[in-house]
Structure formats: C-alpha cells, structure tokens
Amino acid sequence: MKNDHQIYLHDTPAKQLFNEVQRQRSHGCVRVEDALGFAEMLARDEGVLEEWQRARATGKETFVPLPREIPVRLIYQTVLFGEDGAPIIRSDPYSWNDKVATALGFASHQGYRVRTANGDVGP
C-alpha cells in the first residue's frame, strides 16, 4: 500500500492471531490470512501472473509491479448484521464511535470497548 506511514498488507508467522476476536493488536499493518493467495489473485487479475510466478520461483523477496494502482479501502465496522438481520455489536477498540456519536448529536457510549492485558503483537 502506498502511504507515508509504512502501513502494509502482509502475512504473519503468528497464524493463531487470525482466530482471535481482538485482531487489531499489531504494529499498524494489516495481516492478510492468505497473503500468497491474495498476491496471486492480484497478479492474475492484473495480467502479470507469469512474472509473479517467476519471481516466486527465485525464493527471494522480489517486487512485481502491477500495471495500475489497486485502491485499498479499510472499513471499520462495530455494528454488523447477522444472517437473521439482528445487529451484532463489536468492541470499539479505537474509540471512533464516540467521535461519530458526538458529531451526530448522540451521547457517547464507552461500554463496548474490550480491554486486554496483551500489548502489541507483531509482526
């Protein structure tokens, strides 16, 4: 991802973290569960699959340029809807709901924050 903050989409050796509810504990990057599969899909969709396969075959870190930038949008949702249509309320670890509630004229609710004794887990 092009940005000035060194935030990347990447794999992790700590695969067990994909099973945790509190998945935001990292150093700011976004963990991708199947990073190689994701990269292969992008390479295929962008017409550079052969170049990607050659780069993978070297066994070294290699960059394969894509013919265009792929927009990456991260969505922060704390209320989702289940298959039955009922709302599912998740924790708000970054306290962004309070800012939105205040901007909309509602009272803030700090009850949905999950606190953990665990600190940053990386990479």
Side-chain angles (χ1 to χ4, degrees):
M1 290 183 351
K2 280 187 171 182
N3 62 81
D4 297 330
H5 310 289
Q6 295 184 344
I7 297 173
Y8 301 97
L9 300 174
H10 65 78
D11 199 350
T12 180
K15 302 290 187 197
Q16 75 280 3
L17 295 175
F18 289 114
N19 297 322
E20 291 191 16
V21 173
Q22 288 288 99
R23 290 187 52 188
Q24 80 281 355
R25 296 179 312 151
S26 71
H27 294 101
C29 293
V30 178
R31 292 184 183 100
V32 178
E33 191 163 359
D34 180 12
L36 288 175
F38 180 60
E40 184 174 4
M41 178 198 68
L42 286 176
R44 183 181 305 106
D45 290 354
E46 296 304 311
V48 293
L49 183 59
E50 288 183 26
E51 294 92 324
W52 184 81
Q53 289 171 334
R54 279 194 300 272
R56 285 276 302 135
T58 67
K60 299 177 183 175
E61 183 177 310
T62 308
F63 293 91
V64 176
L66 298 174
R68 66 185 180 102
E69 285 189 21
I70 307 295
V72 175
R73 291 179 177 80
L74 302 176
I75 299 173
Y76 182 79
Q77 291 181 299
T78 57
V79 178
L80 311 168
F81 292 91
E83 291 181 16
D84 62 355
I88 301 167
I89 300 174
R90 301 271 173 96
S91 69
D92 178 22
Y94 300 112
S95 304
W96 291 356
N97 287 351
D98 293 341
K99 293 175 187 174
V100 172
T102 300
L104 294 173
F106 297 106
S108 65
H109 296 281
Q110 299 182 4
Y112 294 116
R113 291 201 191 96
V114 175
R115 299 289 184 218
T116 177
N118 299 332
D120 248 4
V121 178

